[in-house]
């Protein structure tokens, strides 16, 4: 580290510490003001019963082809999970007085890579509510997939979603992330403090140089006036 820079930090350590502490306090304030949210997750397995030789009279009948087909459709199912209409049906069935738009906005779903498993998660300020909503969304999504993927005149869906893991009651909020907030505040505060220590003395130095220059000009003016 440059010796002059180290000396500057030693000289301006109070400024660095002040900015650092202000940032930490700001991080604590943001964390305290943030409403805690709990996340609960249910898991859906995309079974393909019509793709085995016993139920599908086709040369293409194969569990592997069925899995490929399910994966190709899975991204569409993921988008359906956060559909407002689906959230509306879930709310009606649960008898909750919630906004479908708000519930839909708190739903996330993703396909686990290289599998036919979809995780459906719901965030809510209430842990039991998050659990109920996650189970409700998973069940409604499974029902919608089954309805869409059942060909006309058939009783067997092309893709039959099965809920393999019901939502668990979360015991800790997923947000705010206290340690992450404090780490960001500490890093930002340290950077801001060091920047202030470097910039403010430079500005002060320029200001002192400008004042000296003005004094010099004034003295010359006075000397000429006396002559």
């Amino acid at each position: 580290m440059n010796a002059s820079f180290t000396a500057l930090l030693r000289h301006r350590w109070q400024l660095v510490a002040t900015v650092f502490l202000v940032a930490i306090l700001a991080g604590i304030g943001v964390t305290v003001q943030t409403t805690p949210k709990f996340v609960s997750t249910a898991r859906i397995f995309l079974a393909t019963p019509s793709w085995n030789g016993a139920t599908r009279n086709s040369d293409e009948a194969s569990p592997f082809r069925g899995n490929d087909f399910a994966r190709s459709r899975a991204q569409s199912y993921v988008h359906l999970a956060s559909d407002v209409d689906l959230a509306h049906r879930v709310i009606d069935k649960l008898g909750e007085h919630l906004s479908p738009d708000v519930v839909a906005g708190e739903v996330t779903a993703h396909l686990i890579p290289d599998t036919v498993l979809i995780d459906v998660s719901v965030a809510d300020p209430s842990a039991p509510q998050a659990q109920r909503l996650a189970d409700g969304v998973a069940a409604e999504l499974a029902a919608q997939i089954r309805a869409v993927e059942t060909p006309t005149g058939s009783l067997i869906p092309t893709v039959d979603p099965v809920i393999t893991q019901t939502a668990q009651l979360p015991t800790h909020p997923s947000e705010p992330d206290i340690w992450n907030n404090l780490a960001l505040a500490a890093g930002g505060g340290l950077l801001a403090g060091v920047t202030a220590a470097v910039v403010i003395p430079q500005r002060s130095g320029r200001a002192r140089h400008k004042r000296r220059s003005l004094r010099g000009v004034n003295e010359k003016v006075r000397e000429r006036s006396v002559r």
Side-chain angles (χ1 to χ4, degrees), residues 126-204:
S126 165
Q129 185 82 298
Q131 181 186 26
R132 286 193 297 270
L133 288 172
D135 280 333
V137 171
E140 191 60 34
L141 177 61
Q144 184 167 354
I145 294 172
R146 195 173 294 109
V148 170
E149 296 293 2
T150 302
T152 303
S154 174
L155 298 177
I156 301 175
T158 308
V159 177
D160 187 17
V162 179
I163 298 176
T164 58
Q165 177 182 304
T166 57
Q168 301 299 306
L169 181 67
T171 56
H172 301 288
S174 61
E175 56 181 84
D177 189 334
I178 298 174
W179 297 113
N180 183 60
N181 288 353
L182 291 180
L184 290 174
L190 184 60
L191 179 61
V194 172
T195 302
V198 172
V199 173
I200 291 177
Q202 289 178 345
R203 290 181 176 176
S204 299

Side-chain angles (χ1 to χ4, degrees), residues 20 41 44 62:
F20 179 79
T41 302
I44 298 175
S62 164

Side-chain angles (χ1 to χ4, degrees), residues 2-87:
N2 187 279
S4 61
F5 180 71
T6 304
L8 176 64
L9 292 182
R10 288 177 179 173
H11 178 67
R12 305 292 295 175
W13 70 268
Q14 290 179 325
L15 176 61
V16 175
T18 299
V19 175
F20 179 79
L21 289 176
V22 169
I24 291 293
L25 291 175
I28 294 174
V30 170
T31 301
V32 170
Q33 293 297 320
T34 302
T35 302
K37 284 188 178 180
F38 297 85
V39 175
S40 189
T41 302
R43 176 166 292 177
I44 298 175
F45 173 75
L46 302 176
T48 52
S50 67
W51 287 83
N52 62 64
T55 58
R56 187 180 178 92
N57 296 321
S58 170
D59 294 336
E60 296 183 352
S62 164
F64 300 105
R65 288 183 180 272
N67 286 343
D68 290 340
F69 178 80
R71 276 195 291 266
S72 70
R73 312 276 273 188
Q75 286 303 324
S76 298
Y77 306 153
V78 165
H79 290 301
L80 286 175
S82 56
D83 184 72
V84 175
D85 290 336
L86 187 145

